[in-house]
Amino acid sequence: MTELVLDAFVTAVIAASDYEEMDRIYLKNRVRSRIGEEGLDLPAHQADLIALKDQLVEIAVANSKIQDSMAAKDSLGAELMDWITPSPSQVNRYFWETYPQSKEDAIADFYALSKRNDYIKVKAIAQNIAFEAETPYGSLEITINLSKPEKDPKDIAAAKLAKASHYPACQLCFENEGYQGRLDHPARANHRIIRFDMDGHDWGFQYSPYAYFNEHCIFLDSQHVPMAISRKTFERLLTIVETFPGYFAGSNADLPIVGGSILTHDHYQGGRHTFPMEVAGLDQAFTIPGFEGVQVGIVRWPMSVLRLKSENKGELIDLADHILESWRSYSDPAVQILASSNGEAHHTITPIARIRESKFELDLVLRDNQTSDEHPDGIYHPHADVQHIKKENIGLIEVMGLAILPPRLKEELKLVQHYLLGQVNGVAKYHQEWADDLKTQHPDLSSEEESQEVVRVSVGNIFARVLEDAGVYKRTEEGQVAFRRFVTSLGKSKS
């Protein structure tokens, strides 16, 4: 016999939390207060806790307990899942009691909780379209991001009329923990942050709700302070990969155009994933005078990357800081590289840290945010002819070889596939030239599978071109000679 939805939800809550059978009546009454009286005697559609939560949210809409909007549904859903989520102090106590026995278990348990309580949107993430495409730089990863929902038009309209709020100051602030949410700010009632000390300063560790890769997480400053790449960045990233074994840690750049989406709050991203850039080999190895204990190489990659590797953490940090300071003031007009113009600084670094083969490793990606009349979006930004696929900033994740492409491409790429098979007469205007070129190159396609493969390979190669556009030293003889000039200057400029 199918269990009624209210009973099934409460049974699942008891099974997944510290609540006990004695708490059943209490829990049922608390659900009634939020959902309403009608509809709770309906049969449960599924036994899964998150599915039961979703069913209760729809009942609340039918009972007019909440508005039929995405923001209201998310807010109530997070509140219901908060009942299976221990308090922040309990979550932290369990994490740090487990950590001395097994760092891996402490991390794994927190990750499991973040999925179990629907903070990590596992069901939504599964909707993403993901594939790999072979390119001259190896196999690149492509994701069409369908997990993060587009804003509800009703919420957008209501938010325009709502009183402005600046609490929390941004979506990365600690104040998000337990926040009910509002029309223009996500619900975080079921959100938890692991606190940890980094050089005497409080930092947090949390997972990304709409993860782009395995165990995608965020390390965030407890204070709402702007991002800044400095020696401290390298120190912190290496501390993080020591503290959280098996994870990489990296930072977006700290300048507009080449930076990430949130530059107002200092944070890093990490996770348990091997990106294409990590497995890329070296074009050339160097030793920088004065830093003989650090292996240095130019990575065989479309962007301009120096890989530093050493068992000596301190010397590695010293060299990374030296490269950062040198790059900030380095110009080479012969290849359109300028440290600054009109009083505006152009140079910074996107750093990525990991521990590999018992050595500390830092990949330093050189960035330049100049613009020009020809490239108003950025000289080292996806150029106009590839923006039909990717026009957004190239942040940390893309730098490492994982393309995060917009949802519009789901249907647009299908249409291109149909065009190649002669099933439609045209595609989106900004794709037409590309589609015509593909049709000329592949005139005899006869199946959906063939056309999909052609389109996906082409998308992968366009993404490689996007990364080449973002590379400050081009993959030409002239560009690579100029790159080596910069590397040589590192030895000369060391005091």
Side-chain angles (χ1 to χ4, degrees):
M1 181 177 176
T2 304
E3 196 172 11
L4 302 183
V5 60
L6 176 58
D7 291 323
F9 179 73
V10 169
T11 297
V13 167
I14 291 171
S17 70
D18 292 333
Y19 286 112
E20 301 177 17
E21 186 59 35
M22 188 185 297
D23 301 314
R24 180 173 292 274
I25 294 173
Y26 162 81
L27 288 169
K28 289 173 71 171
N29 282 331
R30 298 318 303 151
V31 174
R32 287 177 185 276
S33 73
R34 296 298 290 118
I35 305 302
E37 296 291 330
E38 301 298 322
L40 296 180
D41 56 352
L42 292 171
H45 295 163
Q46 298 180 46
D48 173 71
L49 176 60
I50 294 173
L52 291 166
K53 176 264 296 182
D54 291 339
Q55 187 177 352
L56 288 175
V57 168
E58 293 303 326
I59 292 172
V61 172
N63 287 336
S64 299
K65 293 291 284 186
I66 62 170
Q67 294 181 339
D68 186 11
S69 74
M70 190 180 300
K73 291 178 181 180
D74 285 348
S75 179
L76 177 57
E79 186 178 347
L80 293 175
M81 298 310 289
D82 186 40
W83 287 342
I84 71 156
T85 311
S87 68
S89 59
Q90 289 175 305
V91 171
N92 275 268
R93 185 179 304 113
Y94 180 77
F95 184 94
W96 292 114
E97 285 176 352
T98 305
Y99 188 89
Q101 282 75 49
S102 172
K103 298 177 182 180
E104 290 79 6
D105 285 350
I107 294 167
D109 289 346
F110 181 52
Y111 181 57
L113 170 65
S114 300
K115 290 189 293 183
R116 188 168 62 249
N117 75 350
D118 200 37
Y119 179 72
I120 298 175
K121 303 296 183 183
V122 175
K123 183 179 177 181
I125 293 166
Q127 299 175 42
N128 290 340
I129 296 171
F131 58 92
E132 294 187 5
E134 285 299 322
T135 75
Y137 305 102
S139 183
L140 299 183
E141 298 174 339
I142 312 295
T143 295
I144 298 176
N145 178 27
L146 303 174
S147 61
K148 196 169 185 178
E150 297 184 25
K151 290 186 180 295
D152 189 324
K154 289 176 286 188
D155 291 338
I156 294 172
K160 291 179 180 177
L161 302 175
K163 184 178 179 181
S165 173
H166 301 290
Y167 179 91
C170 78
Q171 293 186 27
L172 292 178
C173 287
F174 274 34
E175 286 77 12
N176 284 277
E177 193 174 44
Y179 188 67
Q180 189 69 17
R182 59 177 189 269
L183 291 170
D184 61 348
H185 197 98
R188 291 290 183 260
N190 57 337
H191 174 40
R192 298 295 183 265
I193 303 170
I194 298 297
R195 275 71 167 174
F196 68 101
D197 175 84
M198 194 139 63
D199 298 325
H201 187 67
D202 290 336
W203 277 70
F205 160 53
Q206 65 184 53
Y207 285 101
S208 175
Y210 296 98
Y212 293 136
F213 49 85
N214 186 39
E215 298 186 41
H216 184 181
C217 61
I218 302 170
F219 304 96
L220 51 145
D221 196 316
S222 61
Q223 303 301 311
H224 183 68
V225 295
M227 283 184 62
I229 303 296
S230 68
R231 181 187 180 89
K232 275 283 185 188
T233 305
F234 308 130
E235 293 172 352
R236 289 169 177 166
L237 291 176
L238 293 174
T239 295
I240 287 169
V241 296
E242 283 184 296
T243 307
F244 299 89
Y247 279 17
F248 81 91
S251 176
N252 272 304
D254 57 350
L255 291 177
I257 297 177
V258 299
S261 57
I262 301 179
L263 299 180
T264 57
H265 194 122
D266 206 3
H267 70 286
Y268 312 122
Q269 296 183 70
R272 197 182 303 277
H273 184 71
T274 301
F275 287 87
M277 190 176 79
E278 180 180 340
V279 299
L282 300 181
D283 278 332
Q284 191 170 354
F286 301 90
T287 299
I288 306 298
F291 301 96
E292 286 77 10
V294 182
Q295 299 169 272
V296 182
I298 292 176
V299 180
R300 192 174 301 116
W301 194 245
M303 296 187 71
S304 305
V305 187
L306 289 174
R307 177 165 295 159
L308 281 55
K309 194 167 188 175
S310 181
E311 295 178 350
N312 188 321
K313 182 179 176 183
E315 190 171 2
L316 189 71
I317 292 167
D318 287 342
L319 178 53
D321 184 47
H322 174 57
I323 292 171
L324 173 64
E325 294 307 312
S326 299
W327 176 242
R328 280 186 168 145
S329 61
Y330 184 83
S331 294
D332 191 344
V335 286
Q336 207 170 20
I337 287 174
L338 292 179
S340 63
S341 62
N342 302 317
E344 178 189 355
H346 294 311
H347 286 179
T348 188
I349 279 174
T350 299
I352 301 102
R354 61 185 79 90
I355 295 176
R356 190 159 54 159
E357 298 171 349
S358 301
K359 290 185 178 181
F360 294 104
E361 195 168 273
L362 276 174
D363 282 352
L364 305 180
V365 188
L366 307 181
R367 310 302 302 271
D368 183 317
N369 77 344
Q370 291 180 76
T371 59
S372 67
D373 292 340
E374 183 183 1
H375 302 294
D377 296 325
I379 295 172
Y380 304 103
H381 180 82
H383 292 174
D385 65 320
V386 292
Q387 290 186 6
H388 65 106
I389 296 295
K390 177 70 174 178
K391 64 180 180 180
E392 297 80 11
N393 289 359
I394 302 305
L396 171 68
I397 296 170
E398 285 90 0
V399 161
M400 295 186 291
L402 170 56
I404 310 298
L405 302 181
R408 63 178 172 83
L409 289 176
K410 176 185 177 183
E411 297 304 324
E412 291 176 4
L413 295 186
K414 279 185 183 177
L415 199 60
V416 173
Q417 292 167 25
H418 294 159
Y419 180 73
L420 297 183
L421 293 170
Q423 297 172 352
V424 297
N425 294 323
V427 298
K429 185 177 180 180
Y430 45 79
H431 288 313
Q432 191 64 58
E433 182 179 352
W434 170 54
D436 287 337
D437 287 344
L438 288 179
K439 198 165 192 177
T440 299
Q441 295 166 25
H442 305 276
D444 300 320
L445 297 177
S446 60
S447 70
E448 293 280 348
E449 291 78 11
E450 286 179 323
S451 64
Q452 182 185 74
E453 180 64 15
V454 165
V455 168
R456 287 186 169 185
V457 168
S458 183
V459 167
N461 280 293
I462 290 171
F463 178 51
R465 233 301 303 284
V466 163
L467 296 182
E468 287 175 342
D469 287 350
V472 295
Y473 290 110
K474 301 308 177 187
R475 300 289 302 178
T476 62
E477 184 176 353
E478 179 190 27
Q480 293 306 292
V481 167
F483 198 170
R484 290 193 290 273
R485 278 202 301 271
F486 172 65
V487 173
T488 301
S489 78
L490 296 171
K492 293 177 180 178
S493 61
K494 183 178 182 292
S495 57

